[in-house]
Amino acid sequence: MNREELTINIGMNIRKYRLEADLSQESLSFSANLSQAYIGKLERGERCPNIETLYKISEVLNVPVGNLLDFDKKPKCESETKIKRLSQKQLNILAQVMDILSENNE
């Protein structure tokens, strides 16, 4: 894995765990004592964090540093994260829509 791929994968993991923690970039940056612009650059894979920065972020996200460096598991896509946040009523509506769509494809 080259540096660019490493940087992108770290950024994707930071974003994944930030969303799972239901934190905004602003909240994460404030709690980790980092700038919001820097958090955005990390998540977009434009900057590669040093170990101290990874530690600060992992502490705020309440995940081990190793999770931010774990690339064997594909980070969840944005759609999966959105689905995870739906209420039971919204999940029922989504299931109905999926049933209708699958009926139209048969």
Side-chain angles (χ1 to χ4, degrees):
M1 175 178 304
N2 65 35
R3 182 178 173 91
E4 183 179 349
E5 292 170 325
L6 176 71
T7 302
I8 289 169
N9 284 321
I10 290 171
M12 288 170 52
N13 281 345
I14 290 170
R15 177 177 169 78
K16 175 185 124 174
Y17 287 108
R18 177 181 62 78
L19 291 174
E20 285 180 4
D22 199 26
L23 291 174
S24 65
Q25 285 184 350
E26 182 180 22
S27 296
L28 174 58
S29 66
F30 179 78
S31 297
N33 199 28
L34 300 165
S35 78
Q36 185 176 346
Y38 183 65
I39 295 294
K41 287 178 183 181
L42 290 176
E43 290 187 359
R44 290 188 301 274
E46 296 172 6
R47 297 287 307 269
C48 190
N50 63 33
I51 194 68
E52 181 181 354
T53 300
L54 282 175
Y55 180 76
K56 286 179 181 181
I57 291 170
S58 73
E59 286 291 298
V60 173
L61 298 177
N62 199 30
V63 297
V65 172
N67 287 24
L68 300 178
L69 301 172
D70 185 3
F71 311 128
D72 293 334
K73 301 174 194 159
K74 248 185 166 175
K76 291 182 182 177
C77 69
E78 199 168 321
S79 297
E80 289 179 67
T81 303
K82 288 179 181 178
I83 290 171
K84 191 175 177 182
R85 293 181 174 177
L86 295 177
S87 68
Q88 189 58 50
K89 182 179 178 181
Q90 291 169 319
L91 286 170
N92 291 339
I93 293 169
L94 179 59
Q96 290 172 356
V97 169
M98 291 173 67
D99 287 342
I100 291 168
L101 290 174
S102 65
E103 288 172 8
N104 290 336
N105 287 334
E106 293 176 356

